[in-house]
Amino acid sequence: SLGICVQLYNVPASLPANSAVAATFFMTGAWAAARSIGARLGAPCNNALSALVYLGTTGLLVYYSSSLVQYRTERFYTMNFGAAAMLLLTCWRMLLHWPRQLIDRCLLVLFWLMALQFIVRTLLSVPFGTSMGDMAFVHSIHWQMINLTMFVFSLLFSLALMGATVVDLTTALREERNRDPLTSVLNRRGFDERFLRMQDERRGGTTAHDAGTALMLCDLDRFKAINDTHGHAAGDAVLRMFAEVLGRHVRASDLLGRYGGEEFVVLASRVNLAEARARAEAIRAKMAQTPLPGLPDDVRVTVSIGLVQLHVGESYEAALQRADVLLYRAKREGRNRVVATEWVKASQSPFRKHPCPVSGGERHGRWRNDRSSLRSRAEIESCPAPVAVVSTHESRPSEHRPILP
C-alpha cells in the first residue's frame, strides 16, 4: 500500500528516487507477508536466507532505479522474481506443516498461487514489453494483466485474512468458554469436547481407545473445611496451587480439567498403568508436601486419586464411573492415597447397589469431603470395596497436621 501511494502521489518527485522508495516498500511488504503467514502456520522462514533475498533484491532494485530506461526489463524481473522467491521460501517450509484448519489451508493455497503468479505473469508479459516504449507498455494489455492479477490476488488474500480473523476470534471465545476462570485449566465442558475431538482424530469417531490411556480422578481432601476455617480466598488459592501441581505433571498430549468444585480429572495418553500410577503418586506426594498460600505453615492439603486404564471398546463415561468408584475407596480408606485398578465394570460395582452415605458435592452430589457430611463411622466402614484393585498407595507419615483433627 505504501509503495502504491508513493507512486500515485509522486513522493518523492524525482523519478529514480520515487522508483527506489516504491520498490523498497514493495519488497518489505512481501518479506513481512512471508514472515507473518509462516509464523501463523507454524513454519517460520529461514531468517538468514530470507534476509539475503530481501537485501539482495532491494539493493538491485535501488541500483536499477538510477536508470529506469536502461534497466527497465531487469527491474521487472528482479522485483517479481525476488518477491516470488521470498514467498516460496515460506511456502516450501509450510508443506512440512500442513495446517489443520480450513481457513489456514485456504491461506496457504492462496499464498502458493500468489507466489507463482509473480513468475507466470512476468514470463508472459515482460518479453512483450521489451519491444515497446515506456508509454506504450504502460497502456498495453500486458501491463493491465499485471495490475489485474495483483488486484485479484490482493482482494482474495484480504478476504482470506478477514476470514482468519473471524475464526481466530471465534476460537478465542470458545477457548475462554471452555476454561475455568479460577485455575485456567479446562472446565468440564471443555474437557469433554477436547476428549471427543481427540477420540475422533485417533479412532475416526469410534468409541475405542488406545490401550495406553489412563484416567485420573483427583479430589482434594476435606476441602470444605478449608473454606469454613480459612475463608474462600484461601480455598481459591489452594485450587490454583493444585492446578499448578497437576500442570507440572502432565504432558502436552494429556488433558487436564477441573470437573467441578475441588475435583480435577487428568487423561494421560501413551502410558501403561504402572507409569500412570507413578505419576499419580508423584502428584499426591507433591501436594502433601507443598505449603499453600493463605494457610498456616504447618497445614497441608492432601489429595485422593482414583486411577483406571481405558480399554479398547470402553466408553469415556464408563471409565469415569470406574475412576469415581476408586476415588471413593481412597476417601473411605483414609484419604491421601492413590487407588488404581485395571478393570472394574461400573455397572457391576457394589457401590451402585449399596451407595455409601455421603451427601453434598459438586458433580453428582457425592461428597463434601468433611466429616460433618458422614452419617457415622460404622456406616462408612460397612460400605463394600470395589473389586479388582491392583494397588493402593498408602499415605506416608507427615509432620504437618491435616486440615481437620
Side-chain angles (χ1 to χ4, degrees):
S1 298
L2 292 175
I4 294 175
C5 290
V6 165
Q7 291 181 332
L8 288 178
Y9 294 102
N10 198 27
V11 178
S14 172
L15 187 58
N18 185 283
S19 177
V21 172
T24 302
F25 279 133
F26 286 141
M27 296 310 301
T28 303
W31 174 81
R35 288 188 60 84
S36 60
I37 293 298
R40 174 183 175 82
L41 301 183
C45 57
N46 186 295
N47 291 330
L49 191 56
S50 62
L52 181 62
V53 173
Y54 170 74
L55 294 175
T57 304
T58 305
L60 285 174
L61 290 174
V62 172
Y63 172 75
Y64 291 148
S65 298
S66 62
S67 179
L68 296 178
V69 177
Q70 181 181 356
Y71 297 114
R72 185 183 68 181
T73 303
E74 290 83 350
R75 183 173 177 275
F76 273 115
Y77 277 119
T78 302
M79 178 178 292
N80 286 278
F81 288 166
M86 279 192 292
L87 300 184
L88 289 174
L89 283 176
T90 300
C91 290
W92 180 258
R93 291 180 63 86
M94 284 189 288
L95 287 179
L96 304 177
H97 303 270
W98 186 250
R100 299 170 61 182
Q101 294 191 49
L102 178 61
I103 187 64
D104 289 335
R105 293 177 182 177
C106 293
L107 281 173
L108 179 56
V109 171
L110 281 175
F111 211 65
W112 266 101
L113 293 176
M114 180 176 288
L116 294 176
Q117 64 93 21
F118 278 111
I119 299 175
V120 174
R121 74 176 190 178
T122 303
L123 294 177
L124 292 178
S125 301
V126 174
F128 294 97
T130 56
S131 58
M132 302 180 183
D134 290 339
M135 296 304 298
F137 181 68
V138 168
H139 293 89
S140 69
I141 187 64
H142 308 294
W143 178 254
Q144 294 175 12
M145 185 182 70
I146 290 176
N147 291 328
L148 178 62
T149 55
M150 178 57 71
F151 172 77
V152 170
F153 277 101
S154 298
L155 179 61
L156 291 176
F157 204 69
S158 299
L159 293 175
L161 288 176
M162 291 177 60
T165 302
V166 173
V167 171
D168 290 346
L169 289 174
T170 304
T171 302
L173 291 174
R174 186 184 298 112
E175 185 70 12
E176 182 179 355
R177 179 200 66 181
N178 291 342
R179 290 282 173 181
D180 174 51
L182 178 63
T183 61
S184 298
V185 302
L186 294 171
N187 56 27
R188 181 174 183 176
R189 178 174 184 169
F191 187 92
D192 291 344
E193 287 184 359
R194 194 74 60 86
F195 176 83
L196 293 176
R197 191 185 313 156
M198 179 187 299
Q199 173 180 289
D200 292 340
E201 291 174 354
R202 292 184 178 180
R203 299 296 181 182
T206 66
T207 57
H209 299 274
D210 293 335
T213 302
L215 182 71
M216 304 180 200
L217 197 56
C218 313
D219 192 275
L220 292 171
D221 297 327
R222 300 187 177 98
F223 182 74
K224 183 179 182 297
I226 301 174
N227 287 329
D228 293 344
T229 306
H230 303 282
H232 289 280
D236 291 346
V238 170
L239 290 173
R240 285 192 292 266
M241 179 62 70
F242 184 48
E244 292 178 7
V245 170
L246 289 172
R248 289 194 290 267
H249 288 83
V250 299
R251 300 170 302 185
S253 58
D254 300 337
L255 294 183
L256 167 62
R258 183 184 177 193
Y259 232 53
E262 65 275 18
E263 192 171 74
F264 291 75
V265 60
V266 177
L267 188 75
S269 59
R270 297 191 295 275
V271 295
N272 56 38
L273 187 62
E275 295 170 338
R277 191 163 57 234
R279 290 171 62 184
E281 177 61 22
I283 293 171
R284 184 208 64 78
K286 181 64 176 178
M287 193 62 190
Q289 299 167 4
T290 301
L292 299 168
L295 299 180
D297 293 339
D298 61 338
V299 173
R300 295 293 184 268
V301 177
T302 59
V303 60
S304 300
I305 301 176
L307 170 64
V308 298
Q309 184 160 18
L310 280 69
H311 292 259
V312 175
E314 182 186 18
S315 68
Y316 164 61
E317 291 77 10
L320 188 63
Q321 288 177 343
R322 293 197 293 118
D324 196 43
V325 170
L326 298 181
L327 177 57
Y328 185 79
R329 171 160 181 154
K331 295 286 184 178
R332 185 177 65 85
E333 293 185 352
R335 301 175 173 86
N336 189 25
R337 65 196 63 212
V338 176
V339 178
T341 182
E342 283 196 358
W343 187 260
V344 179
K345 289 187 178 180
S347 60
Q348 297 177 356
S349 170
F351 284 100
R352 297 176 63 87
K353 298 180 181 179
H354 307 285
C356 287
V358 180
S359 61
E362 184 77 20
R363 185 160 62 89
H364 296 302
R366 291 182 295 104
W367 53 58
R368 292 170 55 191
N369 296 339
D370 62 302
R371 293 187 180 184
S372 63
S373 66
L374 305 180
R375 296 181 185 176
S376 70
R377 190 178 188 86
E379 288 177 315
I380 297 175
E381 292 177 349
S382 65
C383 293
V387 297
V389 173
V390 172
S391 65
T392 301
H393 295 270
E394 301 292 342
S395 58
R396 298 182 178 90
S398 174
E399 60 182 5
H400 303 290
R401 61 185 176 87
I403 295 300
L404 291 180

PDB file of all heavy atoms in Angstrom, residues 217 306 320-330 339 344-346 349-352 367 385-387:
ATOM      1  N   LEU A 217      -8.896 -39.394  38.425  1.00  0.00           N
ATOM      2  CA  LEU A 217      -9.910 -38.535  39.032  1.00  0.00           C
ATOM      3  C   LEU A 217      -9.362 -38.115  40.396  1.00  0.00           C
ATOM      4  O   LEU A 217      -9.154 -38.952  41.279  1.00  0.00           O
ATOM      5  CB  LEU A 217     -11.228 -39.283  39.179  1.00  0.00           C
ATOM      6  CG  LEU A 217     -12.479 -38.450  39.406  1.00  0.00           C
ATOM      7  CD1 LEU A 217     -12.664 -37.427  38.289  1.00  0.00           C
ATOM      8  CD2 LEU A 217     -13.704 -39.337  39.500  1.00  0.00           C
ATOM      9  N   GLY A 306      -8.365 -41.584  42.170  1.00  0.00           N
ATOM     10  CA  GLY A 306      -8.816 -42.841  41.590  1.00  0.00           C
ATOM     11  C   GLY A 306      -8.272 -42.960  40.174  1.00  0.00           C
ATOM     12  O   GLY A 306      -8.450 -42.039  39.365  1.00  0.00           O
ATOM     13  N   LEU A 320     -14.921 -43.126  33.506  1.00  0.00           N
ATOM     14  CA  LEU A 320     -15.078 -42.112  34.547  1.00  0.00           C
ATOM     15  C   LEU A 320     -15.817 -42.681  35.750  1.00  0.00           C
ATOM     16  O   LEU A 320     -15.487 -42.379  36.906  1.00  0.00           O
ATOM     17  CB  LEU A 320     -15.816 -40.906  33.973  1.00  0.00           C
ATOM     18  CG  LEU A 320     -15.896 -39.672  34.871  1.00  0.00           C
ATOM     19  CD1 LEU A 320     -14.506 -39.119  35.138  1.00  0.00           C
ATOM     20  CD2 LEU A 320     -16.766 -38.603  34.226  1.00  0.00           C
ATOM     21  N   GLN A 321     -16.809 -43.525  35.511  1.00  0.00           N
ATOM     22  CA  GLN A 321     -17.532 -44.158  36.611  1.00  0.00           C
ATOM     23  C   GLN A 321     -16.613 -45.091  37.400  1.00  0.00           C
ATOM     24  O   GLN A 321     -16.674 -45.138  38.637  1.00  0.00           O
ATOM     25  CB  GLN A 321     -18.742 -44.925  36.073  1.00  0.00           C
ATOM     26  CG  GLN A 321     -19.863 -44.022  35.598  1.00  0.00           C
ATOM     27  CD  GLN A 321     -21.019 -44.806  35.014  1.00  0.00           C
ATOM     28  OE1 GLN A 321     -20.876 -45.984  34.670  1.00  0.00           O
ATOM     29  NE2 GLN A 321     -22.168 -44.169  34.912  1.00  0.00           N
ATOM     30  N   ARG A 322     -15.762 -45.816  36.706  1.00  0.00           N
ATOM     31  CA  ARG A 322     -14.834 -46.706  37.408  1.00  0.00           C
ATOM     32  C   ARG A 322     -13.859 -45.900  38.259  1.00  0.00           C
ATOM     33  O   ARG A 322     -13.553 -46.263  39.396  1.00  0.00           O
ATOM     34  CB  ARG A 322     -14.067 -47.565  36.401  1.00  0.00           C
ATOM     35  CG  ARG A 322     -14.916 -48.564  35.657  1.00  0.00           C
ATOM     36  CD  ARG A 322     -14.078 -49.641  34.995  1.00  0.00           C
ATOM     37  NE  ARG A 322     -13.240 -49.124  33.915  1.00  0.00           N
ATOM     38  CZ  ARG A 322     -11.918 -49.177  33.916  1.00  0.00           C
ATOM     39  NH1 ARG A 322     -11.262 -49.706  34.938  1.00  0.00           N
ATOM     40  NH2 ARG A 322     -11.226 -48.704  32.889  1.00  0.00           N
ATOM     41  N   ALA A 323     -13.348 -44.800  37.708  1.00  0.00           N
ATOM     42  CA  ALA A 323     -12.452 -43.946  38.481  1.00  0.00           C
ATOM     43  C   ALA A 323     -13.176 -43.339  39.676  1.00  0.00           C
ATOM     44  O   ALA A 323     -12.589 -43.171  40.758  1.00  0.00           O
ATOM     45  CB  ALA A 323     -11.889 -42.843  37.577  1.00  0.00           C
ATOM     46  N   ASP A 324     -14.454 -43.033  39.505  1.00  0.00           N
ATOM     47  CA  ASP A 324     -15.256 -42.482  40.588  1.00  0.00           C
ATOM     48  C   ASP A 324     -15.364 -43.477  41.747  1.00  0.00           C
ATOM     49  O   ASP A 324     -15.266 -43.120  42.925  1.00  0.00           O
ATOM     50  CB  ASP A 324     -16.642 -42.139  40.033  1.00  0.00           C
ATOM     51  CG  ASP A 324     -17.413 -41.219  40.943  1.00  0.00           C
ATOM     52  OD1 ASP A 324     -16.822 -40.256  41.454  1.00  0.00           O
ATOM     53  OD2 ASP A 324     -18.613 -41.474  41.142  1.00  0.00           O
ATOM     54  N   VAL A 325     -15.548 -44.745  41.417  1.00  0.00           N
ATOM     55  CA  VAL A 325     -15.633 -45.790  42.438  1.00  0.00           C
ATOM     56  C   VAL A 325     -14.326 -45.888  43.216  1.00  0.00           C
ATOM     57  O   VAL A 325     -14.311 -45.961  44.458  1.00  0.00           O
ATOM     58  CB  VAL A 325     -15.984 -47.143  41.780  1.00  0.00           C
ATOM     59  CG1 VAL A 325     -15.828 -48.291  42.768  1.00  0.00           C
ATOM     60  CG2 VAL A 325     -17.401 -47.112  41.224  1.00  0.00           C
ATOM     61  N   LEU A 326     -13.214 -45.865  42.500  1.00  0.00           N
ATOM     62  CA  LEU A 326     -11.917 -45.989  43.166  1.00  0.00           C
ATOM     63  C   LEU A 326     -11.580 -44.743  43.979  1.00  0.00           C
ATOM     64  O   LEU A 326     -10.925 -44.835  45.030  1.00  0.00           O
ATOM     65  CB  LEU A 326     -10.833 -46.255  42.132  1.00  0.00           C
ATOM     66  CG  LEU A 326     -10.988 -47.558  41.328  1.00  0.00           C
ATOM     67  CD1 LEU A 326      -9.844 -47.723  40.362  1.00  0.00           C
ATOM     68  CD2 LEU A 326     -11.086 -48.745  42.263  1.00  0.00           C
ATOM     69  N   LEU A 327     -12.005 -43.598  43.513  1.00  0.00           N
ATOM     70  CA  LEU A 327     -11.779 -42.373  44.277  1.00  0.00           C
ATOM     71  C   LEU A 327     -12.513 -42.441  45.609  1.00  0.00           C
ATOM     72  O   LEU A 327     -11.977 -42.039  46.648  1.00  0.00           O
ATOM     73  CB  LEU A 327     -12.238 -41.160  43.465  1.00  0.00           C
ATOM     74  CG  LEU A 327     -12.125 -39.799  44.157  1.00  0.00           C
ATOM     75  CD1 LEU A 327     -10.688 -39.530  44.591  1.00  0.00           C
ATOM     76  CD2 LEU A 327     -12.608 -38.696  43.230  1.00  0.00           C
ATOM     77  N   TYR A 328     -13.728 -42.960  45.590  1.00  0.00           N
ATOM     78  CA  TYR A 328     -14.445 -43.075  46.863  1.00  0.00           C
ATOM     79  C   TYR A 328     -13.757 -44.080  47.785  1.00  0.00           C
ATOM     80  O   TYR A 328     -13.724 -43.888  48.999  1.00  0.00           O
ATOM     81  CB  TYR A 328     -15.907 -43.492  46.660  1.00  0.00           C
ATOM     82  CG  TYR A 328     -16.621 -43.470  47.989  1.00  0.00           C
ATOM     83  CD1 TYR A 328     -17.046 -42.262  48.532  1.00  0.00           C
ATOM     84  CD2 TYR A 328     -16.787 -44.630  48.730  1.00  0.00           C
ATOM     85  CE1 TYR A 328     -17.635 -42.216  49.772  1.00  0.00           C
ATOM     86  CE2 TYR A 328     -17.372 -44.594  49.968  1.00  0.00           C
ATOM     87  CZ  TYR A 328     -17.799 -43.384  50.497  1.00  0.00           C
ATOM     88  OH  TYR A 328     -18.365 -43.349  51.734  1.00  0.00           O
ATOM     89  N   ARG A 329     -13.203 -45.124  47.233  1.00  0.00           N
ATOM     90  CA  ARG A 329     -12.480 -46.061  48.094  1.00  0.00           C
ATOM     91  C   ARG A 329     -11.303 -45.365  48.772  1.00  0.00           C
ATOM     92  O   ARG A 329     -11.015 -45.595  49.956  1.00  0.00           O
ATOM     93  CB  ARG A 329     -11.987 -47.249  47.290  1.00  0.00           C
ATOM     94  CG  ARG A 329     -11.045 -48.125  48.125  1.00  0.00           C
ATOM     95  CD  ARG A 329     -10.893 -49.503  47.601  1.00  0.00           C
ATOM     96  NE  ARG A 329     -10.005 -50.259  48.480  1.00  0.00           N
ATOM     97  CZ  ARG A 329     -10.027 -51.570  48.614  1.00  0.00           C
ATOM     98  NH1 ARG A 329     -10.902 -52.272  47.930  1.00  0.00           N
ATOM     99  NH2 ARG A 329      -9.191 -52.182  49.417  1.00  0.00           N
ATOM    100  N   ALA A 330     -10.580 -44.521  48.005  1.00  0.00           N
ATOM    101  CA  ALA A 330      -9.476 -43.778  48.603  1.00  0.00           C
ATOM    102  C   ALA A 330      -9.974 -42.893  49.738  1.00  0.00           C
ATOM    103  O   ALA A 330      -9.315 -42.763  50.777  1.00  0.00           O
ATOM    104  CB  ALA A 330      -8.775 -42.943  47.535  1.00  0.00           C
ATOM    105  N   VAL A 339      -5.612 -45.027  44.486  1.00  0.00           N
ATOM    106  CA  VAL A 339      -6.192 -46.359  44.309  1.00  0.00           C
ATOM    107  C   VAL A 339      -6.322 -46.601  42.819  1.00  0.00           C
ATOM    108  O   VAL A 339      -6.938 -45.811  42.107  1.00  0.00           O
ATOM    109  CB  VAL A 339      -7.555 -46.492  45.004  1.00  0.00           C
ATOM    110  CG1 VAL A 339      -8.140 -47.875  44.760  1.00  0.00           C
ATOM    111  CG2 VAL A 339      -7.424 -46.234  46.497  1.00  0.00           C
ATOM    112  N   VAL A 344     -12.661 -52.603  36.331  1.00  0.00           N
ATOM    113  CA  VAL A 344     -13.839 -52.744  37.180  1.00  0.00           C
ATOM    114  C   VAL A 344     -15.006 -52.199  36.384  1.00  0.00           C
ATOM    115  O   VAL A 344     -15.002 -51.047  35.998  1.00  0.00           O
ATOM    116  CB  VAL A 344     -13.693 -51.940  38.498  1.00  0.00           C
ATOM    117  CG1 VAL A 344     -14.951 -52.097  39.329  1.00  0.00           C
ATOM    118  CG2 VAL A 344     -12.495 -52.417  39.285  1.00  0.00           C
ATOM    119  N   LYS A 345     -15.987 -53.031  36.092  1.00  0.00           N
ATOM    120  CA  LYS A 345     -17.147 -52.557  35.360  1.00  0.00           C
ATOM    121  C   LYS A 345     -18.021 -51.753  36.307  1.00  0.00           C
ATOM    122  O   LYS A 345     -18.444 -52.240  37.350  1.00  0.00           O
ATOM    123  CB  LYS A 345     -17.944 -53.728  34.779  1.00  0.00           C
ATOM    124  CG  LYS A 345     -17.232 -54.413  33.627  1.00  0.00           C
ATOM    125  CD  LYS A 345     -18.125 -55.448  32.982  1.00  0.00           C
ATOM    126  CE  LYS A 345     -17.432 -56.096  31.784  1.00  0.00           C
ATOM    127  NZ  LYS A 345     -18.293 -57.113  31.149  1.00  0.00           N
ATOM    128  N   ALA A 346     -18.279 -50.506  35.926  1.00  0.00           N
ATOM    129  CA  ALA A 346     -19.059 -49.636  36.793  1.00  0.00           C
ATOM    130  C   ALA A 346     -20.446 -50.211  37.052  1.00  0.00           C
ATOM    131  O   ALA A 346     -21.014 -50.052  38.127  1.00  0.00           O
ATOM    132  CB  ALA A 346     -19.172 -48.239  36.169  1.00  0.00           C
ATOM    133  N   SER A 349     -20.318 -52.583  39.943  1.00  0.00           N
ATOM    134  CA  SER A 349     -19.763 -52.111  41.196  1.00  0.00           C
ATOM    135  C   SER A 349     -20.794 -52.197  42.299  1.00  0.00           C
ATOM    136  O   SER A 349     -21.957 -51.822  42.110  1.00  0.00           O
ATOM    137  CB  SER A 349     -19.309 -50.655  41.049  1.00  0.00           C
ATOM    138  OG  SER A 349     -18.989 -50.131  42.304  1.00  0.00           O
ATOM    139  N   PRO A 350     -20.438 -52.699  43.498  1.00  0.00           N
ATOM    140  CA  PRO A 350     -21.391 -52.761  44.596  1.00  0.00           C
ATOM    141  C   PRO A 350     -21.828 -51.389  45.071  1.00  0.00           C
ATOM    142  O   PRO A 350     -22.852 -51.256  45.726  1.00  0.00           O
ATOM    143  CB  PRO A 350     -20.597 -53.483  45.701  1.00  0.00           C
ATOM    144  CG  PRO A 350     -19.157 -53.290  45.344  1.00  0.00           C
ATOM    145  CD  PRO A 350     -19.126 -53.249  43.849  1.00  0.00           C
ATOM    146  N   PHE A 351     -21.079 -50.341  44.722  1.00  0.00           N
ATOM    147  CA  PHE A 351     -21.487 -49.008  45.135  1.00  0.00           C
ATOM    148  C   PHE A 351     -22.779 -48.577  44.461  1.00  0.00           C
ATOM    149  O   PHE A 351     -23.500 -47.751  44.985  1.00  0.00           O
ATOM    150  CB  PHE A 351     -20.384 -47.995  44.801  1.00  0.00           C
ATOM    151  CG  PHE A 351     -19.238 -48.059  45.748  1.00  0.00           C
ATOM    152  CD1 PHE A 351     -18.089 -48.734  45.404  1.00  0.00           C
ATOM    153  CD2 PHE A 351     -19.317 -47.470  46.996  1.00  0.00           C
ATOM    154  CE1 PHE A 351     -17.025 -48.788  46.273  1.00  0.00           C
ATOM    155  CE2 PHE A 351     -18.258 -47.525  47.873  1.00  0.00           C
ATOM    156  CZ  PHE A 351     -17.109 -48.199  47.515  1.00  0.00           C
ATOM    157  N   ARG A 352     -23.047 -49.078  43.294  1.00  0.00           N
ATOM    158  CA  ARG A 352     -24.259 -48.690  42.591  1.00  0.00           C
ATOM    159  C   ARG A 352     -25.485 -49.269  43.253  1.00  0.00           C
ATOM    160  O   ARG A 352     -26.561 -48.698  43.201  1.00  0.00           O
ATOM    161  CB  ARG A 352     -24.181 -49.129  41.128  1.00  0.00           C
ATOM    162  CG  ARG A 352     -23.059 -48.458  40.354  1.00  0.00           C
ATOM    163  CD  ARG A 352     -22.978 -49.005  38.944  1.00  0.00           C
ATOM    164  NE  ARG A 352     -24.202 -48.713  38.203  1.00  0.00           N
ATOM    165  CZ  ARG A 352     -24.421 -47.593  37.536  1.00  0.00           C
ATOM    166  NH1 ARG A 352     -23.521 -46.651  37.532  1.00  0.00           N
ATOM    167  NH2 ARG A 352     -25.536 -47.415  36.874  1.00  0.00           N
ATOM    168  N   TRP A 367     -20.032 -36.126  47.590  1.00  0.00           N
ATOM    169  CA  TRP A 367     -19.467 -35.856  48.911  1.00  0.00           C
ATOM    170  C   TRP A 367     -19.128 -34.393  49.064  1.00  0.00           C
ATOM    171  O   TRP A 367     -19.025 -33.657  48.123  1.00  0.00           O
ATOM    172  CB  TRP A 367     -18.223 -36.710  49.189  1.00  0.00           C
ATOM    173  CG  TRP A 367     -17.175 -36.613  48.140  1.00  0.00           C
ATOM    174  CD1 TRP A 367     -16.532 -35.497  47.705  1.00  0.00           C
ATOM    175  CD2 TRP A 367     -16.657 -37.688  47.367  1.00  0.00           C
ATOM    176  NE1 TRP A 367     -15.670 -35.794  46.726  1.00  0.00           N
ATOM    177  CE2 TRP A 367     -15.707 -37.142  46.500  1.00  0.00           C
ATOM    178  CE3 TRP A 367     -16.876 -39.068  47.353  1.00  0.00           C
ATOM    179  CZ2 TRP A 367     -14.991 -37.914  45.616  1.00  0.00           C
ATOM    180  CZ3 TRP A 367     -16.158 -39.831  46.475  1.00  0.00           C
ATOM    181  CH2 TRP A 367     -15.248 -39.258  45.622  1.00  0.00           C
ATOM    182  N   ALA A 385     -16.026 -52.546  49.259  1.00  0.00           N
ATOM    183  CA  ALA A 385     -14.929 -52.012  48.450  1.00  0.00           C
ATOM    184  C   ALA A 385     -15.079 -52.442  47.013  1.00  0.00           C
ATOM    185  O   ALA A 385     -15.667 -53.481  46.720  1.00  0.00           O
ATOM    186  CB  ALA A 385     -13.600 -52.519  48.999  1.00  0.00           C
ATOM    187  N   PRO A 386     -14.549 -51.674  46.054  1.00  0.00           N
ATOM    188  CA  PRO A 386     -14.599 -52.079  44.653  1.00  0.00           C
ATOM    189  C   PRO A 386     -13.726 -53.296  44.416  1.00  0.00           C
ATOM    190  O   PRO A 386     -12.797 -53.571  45.161  1.00  0.00           O
ATOM    191  CB  PRO A 386     -14.047 -50.851  43.916  1.00  0.00           C
ATOM    192  CG  PRO A 386     -13.230 -50.144  44.930  1.00  0.00           C
ATOM    193  CD  PRO A 386     -13.898 -50.389  46.240  1.00  0.00           C
ATOM    194  N   VAL A 387     -14.012 -54.010  43.368  1.00  0.00           N
ATOM    195  CA  VAL A 387     -13.309 -55.251  43.080  1.00  0.00           C
ATOM    196  C   VAL A 387     -12.114 -54.984  42.186  1.00  0.00           C
ATOM    197  O   VAL A 387     -11.979 -53.936  41.590  1.00  0.00           O
ATOM    198  CB  VAL A 387     -14.265 -56.248  42.375  1.00  0.00           C
ATOM    199  CG1 VAL A 387     -15.411 -56.596  43.285  1.00  0.00           C
ATOM    200  CG2 VAL A 387     -14.773 -55.653  41.064  1.00  0.00           C
TER     201      VAL A 387
END
